[in-house]
Amino acid sequence: MLDEATDAPGFQPFEYMVVGRYLGEPVRLVLVDWFTCGRGIIEASLPHLLGQRNALTTAFLATIVAPAEDPSVLTTYLNSNLESAAVGNWTWTAEFLEALHELLRSSKEDLPQ
């Protein structure tokens, strides 16, 4: 499924993901599943960042999300940023950020050293 959704199907996407090149996409897919199946949030109400393939980049995760120590600052940033803000009444919350941080911690632990 993930291979078929890449820009170059068959071009070693697993190897790219393992080294982190496309880490954002598996994180995005898990988050969308968690929001929609686990929390009952309608996918259309999610931010653009989560609704478009490859929109959640590894660079964004590494430079904006992962180093954020103050959840309120990150929440404010994500809710006001065009890419990460959602249409309608859905907003980033401390619970959602904790889920994202936990997913990033898990992803980091799975990367080869």
Side-chain angles (χ1 to χ4, degrees):
M1 177 175 100
L2 192 58
D3 181 40
E4 294 169 7
T6 64
D7 292 330
F11 186 67
Q12 303 173 343
F14 179 73
E15 286 78 2
Y16 281 118
M17 284 187 296
V18 168
V19 298
R21 169 78 167 84
Y22 294 116
L23 183 62
E25 184 60 7
V27 168
R28 183 191 74 82
L29 291 171
V30 170
L31 276 177
V32 168
D33 185 65
W34 185 76
F35 285 135
T36 58
C37 296
R39 292 290 181 249
I41 297 171
I42 299 168
E43 190 168 349
S45 69
L46 294 175
H48 173 74
L49 188 70
L50 297 177
Q52 184 177 4
R53 192 181 95 204
N54 295 319
L56 184 61
T57 65
T58 303
F60 179 81
L61 294 172
T63 60
I64 304 296
V65 178
E69 294 181 16
D70 184 347
S72 65
V73 172
L74 183 56
T75 301
T76 300
Y77 173 81
L78 292 174
N79 285 325
S80 63
N81 181 286
L82 284 176
E83 292 296 307
S84 57
V87 177
N89 61 359
W90 188 90
T91 59
W92 289 96
T93 65
E95 176 192 15
F96 296 164
L97 291 178
E98 180 55 37
L100 177 54
H101 275 132
E102 184 60 35
L103 184 55
L104 291 178
R105 283 190 290 273
S106 297
S107 299
K108 183 179 178 183
E109 290 170 6
D110 291 338
L111 290 176
Q113 302 299 319

